[in-house]
Amino acid sequence: AQTVTQSQPEMSVQEAETVTLSCTYDTSESDYYLFWYKQPPSRQMILVIRQEAYKQQNATENRFSVNFQKAAKSFSLKISDSQLGDAAMYFCAYRSGIIQGAQKLVFGQGTRLTINP
Amino acid sequence: NAGVMQNPRHLVRRRGQEARLRCSPMKGHSHVYWYRQLPEEGLKFMVYLQKENIIDESGMPKERFSAEFPKEGPSILRIQQVVRGDSAAYFCASSPEFIGAFFGQGTRLTVV
């Protein structure tokens, strides 16, 4: 079974600076998807960014980018120019890409990100 | 295009009662997933449904929990004879197919 590990329960960063959240995963599959979700105090789960394992290029969405290291099974999230609105729980998630019916997301434990003004 | 709609947002039940949680997927989405989030934890998969079919229920407790996604109407997660340990946030997600899921705002169930 696949597992996702976020080793940083909490992180903090000064407003306008850059922060990197870590995520590692374990799988024997070669085809899969990785995601970062943000959960602010409202509890809404918001998709931040996604990466297809077959793509070598790291995904980027505005101030959010990933460092996808397939061989190391690492998928970190970099937030540039941090803003107060970025404060939230961040969850890394894995989804198999090949098995019909196995579309469930496997989540890490989460990292609570605090932005210091 | 409205997002994934869940209701109620908050639900309080006494031990032994039934809890019924509803989820309307995004328009055009035929895949629905239910997840449970305990305090200070990540989301845990419960069940994956398509219209009138349960595709994967490997995360559902064997007793008291059931889910359906009828041909017409919302998906329903039903918890019979609730216990204190069922207190959690329950999230529904939908996807068109093989794309990252979009989540509702969740239902916070409190069992007293």
Side-chain angles (χ1 to χ4, degrees):
Chain A
Q2 293 83 19
T3 59
V4 177
T5 301
Q6 293 178 251
S7 58
Q8 305 155 316
E10 297 182 354
M11 292 281 286
S12 63
V13 64
Q14 287 296 125
E15 192 176 3
E17 303 211 331
T18 296
V19 64
T20 298
L21 308 184
S22 301
C23 172
T24 58
Y25 58 94
D26 188 27
T27 184
S28 58
E29 298 174 340
S30 59
D31 186 18
Y32 50 86
Y33 298 88
L34 296 166
F35 305 87
W36 279 97
Y37 280 89
K38 169 185 177 181
Q39 187 179 43
S42 67
R43 280 204 339 260
Q44 175 79 52
M45 292 290 287
I46 301 166
L47 177 63
V48 174
I49 199 166
R50 92 172 195 190
Q51 174 83 40
E52 291 89 343
Y54 63 85
K55 289 187 177 179
Q56 292 188 339
Q57 186 172 7
N58 289 325
T60 299
E61 288 288 345
N62 300 315
R63 297 183 295 107
F64 298 86
S65 61
V66 299
N67 183 5
F68 173 47
Q69 301 287 328
K70 191 171 184 179
K73 297 179 182 174
S74 170
F75 183 61
S76 60
L77 174 70
K78 185 171 83 171
I79 306 174
S80 303
D81 186 25
S82 298
Q83 299 176 1
L84 293 178
D86 295 333
M89 283 289 286
Y90 285 81
F91 293 97
C92 179
Y94 170 103
R95 207 212 80 192
S96 171
I98 57 174
I99 302 173
Q100 176 65 26
Q103 296 186 33
K104 62 186 178 186
L105 292 168
V106 178
F107 284 88
Q109 307 92 315
T111 296
R112 184 177 301 280
L113 178 63
T114 302
I115 311 296
N116 299 314
Chain B
N1 186 8
V4 179
M5 303 301 293
Q6 288 188 250
N7 66 81
R9 291 290 311 278
H10 301 275
L11 182 62
V12 179
R13 284 288 178 265
R14 296 188 182 278
R15 281 178 294 172
Q17 290 184 320
E18 177 179 284
R20 192 171 294 204
L21 289 63
R22 294 176 182 77
C23 168
S24 296
M26 289 180 70
K27 187 176 180 181
H29 288 191
S30 58
H31 301 241
V32 166
Y33 313 80
W34 285 93
Y35 292 82
R36 176 163 65 176
Q37 185 180 30
L38 295 172
E40 302 303 318
E41 293 188 11
L43 280 69
K44 295 288 195 307
F45 169 79
M46 299 181 74
V47 63
Y48 161 39
L49 310 103
Q50 295 180 18
K51 287 282 187 181
E52 300 184 281
N53 281 306
I54 297 174
I55 306 301
D56 180 356
E57 56 181 346
S58 59
M60 286 277 272
K62 298 297 182 202
E63 298 177 350
R64 302 187 297 109
F65 285 72
S66 63
E68 63 178 14
F69 188 17
K71 187 176 181 181
E72 301 291 337
S75 176
I76 306 287
L77 178 68
R78 185 182 291 110
I79 311 172
Q80 297 177 303
Q81 299 176 323
V82 296
V83 301
R84 287 239 171 95
D86 297 332
S87 295
Y90 291 83
F91 287 89
C92 172
S94 73
S95 70
E97 189 170 347
F98 298 116
I99 298 177
F102 297 88
F103 282 82
Q105 289 191 290
T107 294
R108 183 177 293 280
L109 172 66
T110 303
V111 179
V112 297

